[in-house]
Amino acid sequence: MKKIAFIGLGNMGGPMAANLLDKGLDVTVFDLVPEAVQQACEKGAKSASSAIEAVKHADVVVTMLPAATHVKSLYLGEDGIIAHAPDNTLFIDSSTIDAQSARDVGEAVEKSGRKFVDAPVSGGTAGAAAGTLTFIMGGSDQAVEEARPVLDCMGKNIFHAGPLGAGQVAKICNNMLLAVLMTGTSEALQLAIANGLDPKVVSDIMLQSSGCNWTLQKYNPCPDVMENVPSSNDYQGGFMVKLMNKDLSLAMDAATTSNSATPMASLAQSLYRLHQSKGNQNKDFSSIFKMFEQH
Ligand code: NAD
């Protein structure tokens, strides 16, 4: 049986590792937060005392960290994990980071003779828990084919976008659109409320109309319209505002580099920055709904 090392057991990594364990895989975990490690161990994971310890016998290493700085410091340099893994190890980084950092890390892994794919995900914490994530890979055909059976245990749709870094480019384009959809859906629902309508009824109408989109289908931002979404749990858990701002910055950087016009995303970025500056950085990104509330 393949030995998996899983590093980064946060809102996404925790449930992803749980799915690997549910499929009966041999999983060793590490996170800087001991409670996260403890929770994974209660589901059958083995704990390691450090990231280096976790990868020592791993056939496959999966990393799920907040941002590029965490990924680079985990992988690169003398204290990085690459050289501590067996010669044949496949590394899968599912964090959302900029494409150049993914290429830098991937090239360092390949230089050592090991394999790497960038494999950011879409589907949110609910998709992570249900094992229905979408994985968007960048990397060589061989590494991608090797990663597929592992990702199959955590996801439903698995794509190969292109060479190293391509998974990250596709992912930030998707999240840029998501930010626009979430702000647009929020202002539409608040407009309906301000004009005396029930947000549940309006949501049902829009779900069957031309405004239908993923935020209405899976992640309604208005409290108590849907069960088991962050808006119905005081915007706790889910995808933090500070992470959405990170992704919008990545999208804006990519737009600058390619001289692309992204006016809708620019506005969404300003709104999310303003929202974060009012103390909402750790709330779920659907909390932008509150910004449009009339008092
Ligand atoms: P999170 O902050 O909840 O979890 C990150 C985890 O990484 C934390 O538990 C942290 O302790 C751990 N960590 C950080 N540095 C570490 C290190 N050096 N060694 C070990 N552990 C370390 O973040 P998240 O919501 O799980 O998101 C992870 C990534 O997935 C981000 O890049 C995010 O943009 C992306 N993402 C998140 C969602 C979502 O809905 N939350 C959806 C798609 C993609």
Side-chain angles (χ1 to χ4, degrees):
M1 195 200 317
K2 276 200 188 304
K3 289 190 165 65
I4 318 269
F6 203 111
I7 301 171
L9 302 163
N11 288 329
M12 294 296 285
M16 288 165 71
N19 275 313
L20 294 174
L21 290 161
D22 279 350
K23 301 280 176 344
L25 292 169
D26 178 335
V27 186
T28 302
V29 297
F30 178 70
D31 193 288
L32 299 175
V33 178
E35 293 76 28
V37 173
Q38 180 60 32
Q39 277 181 18
C41 290
E42 281 162 16
K43 293 179 181 121
K46 297 171 188 155
S47 73
S49 56
S50 67
I52 287 177
E53 209 50 51
V55 306
K56 266 195 172 145
H57 305 290
D59 299 303
V60 179
V61 176
V62 184
T63 51
M64 191 52 166
L65 305 177
T69 155
H70 308 89
V71 175
K72 287 206 268 192
S73 73
L74 180 75
Y75 277 80
L76 304 177
E78 275 183 21
D79 295 333
I81 55 175
I82 301 175
H84 294 275
D87 289 348
N88 239 348
T89 299
L90 165 70
F91 290 86
I92 302 173
D93 180 41
S94 284
S95 326
T96 304
I97 64 175
D98 64 286
Q100 190 53 50
S101 295
R103 279 182 219 115
D104 291 346
V105 171
E107 280 161 14
V109 171
E110 288 178 353
K111 207 170 153 197
S112 81
R114 298 170 181 84
K115 282 152 280 171
F116 178 89
V117 291
D118 47 297
V121 304
S122 177
T125 46
T132 56
L133 289 172
T134 296
F135 284 91
I136 314 162
M137 283 191 279
S140 70
D141 289 346
Q142 193 201 347
V144 160
E145 286 320 306
E146 216 177 292
R148 258 181 218 284
V150 179
L151 302 186
D152 269 336
C153 298
M154 302 181 281
K156 198 169 70 174
N157 299 300
I158 297 169
F159 294 100
H160 183 189
L164 281 181
Q168 298 294 354
V169 175
K171 166 67 186 169
I172 56 156
C173 292
N174 178 75
N175 272 28
M176 184 180 94
L177 177 58
L178 174 61
V180 172
L181 291 173
M182 186 57 90
T183 48
T185 300
S186 292
E187 69 182 41
L189 287 174
Q190 291 285 18
L191 175 67
I193 293 167
N195 283 276
L197 269 62
D198 178 341
K200 228 176 195 155
V201 172
V202 181
S203 294
D204 284 342
I205 293 167
M206 293 197 295
L207 276 166
Q208 301 305 326
S209 307
S210 44
C212 181
N213 68 78
W214 184 89
T215 70
L216 287 165
Q217 289 169 323
K218 305 266 172 133
Y219 218 97
N220 197 298
C222 178
D224 302 324
V225 168
M226 281 176 108
E227 287 179 357
N228 301 321
V229 289
S231 60
S232 297
N233 185 28
D234 200 21
Y235 299 103
Q236 299 305 304
F239 181 47
M240 288 179 271
V241 167
K242 65 181 177 192
L243 291 179
M244 178 50 97
N245 268 318
K246 172 204 62 157
D247 289 359
L248 284 167
S249 295
L250 296 178
M252 291 299 109
D253 289 347
T256 303
T257 308
S258 57
N259 204 22
S260 303
T262 50
M264 309 297 284
S266 275
L267 182 53
Q269 182 183 38
S270 290
L271 291 168
Y272 268 105
R273 279 188 177 155
L274 187 61
H275 189 48
Q276 176 161 339
S277 73
K278 292 181 185 296
N280 297 307
Q281 60 168 11
N282 292 326
K283 288 197 179 145
D284 179 71
F285 82 114
S286 63
S287 61
I288 195 94
F289 176 78
K290 289 283 182 191
M291 185 184 271
F292 304 102
E293 198 166 49
Q294 285 191 14
H295 297 282

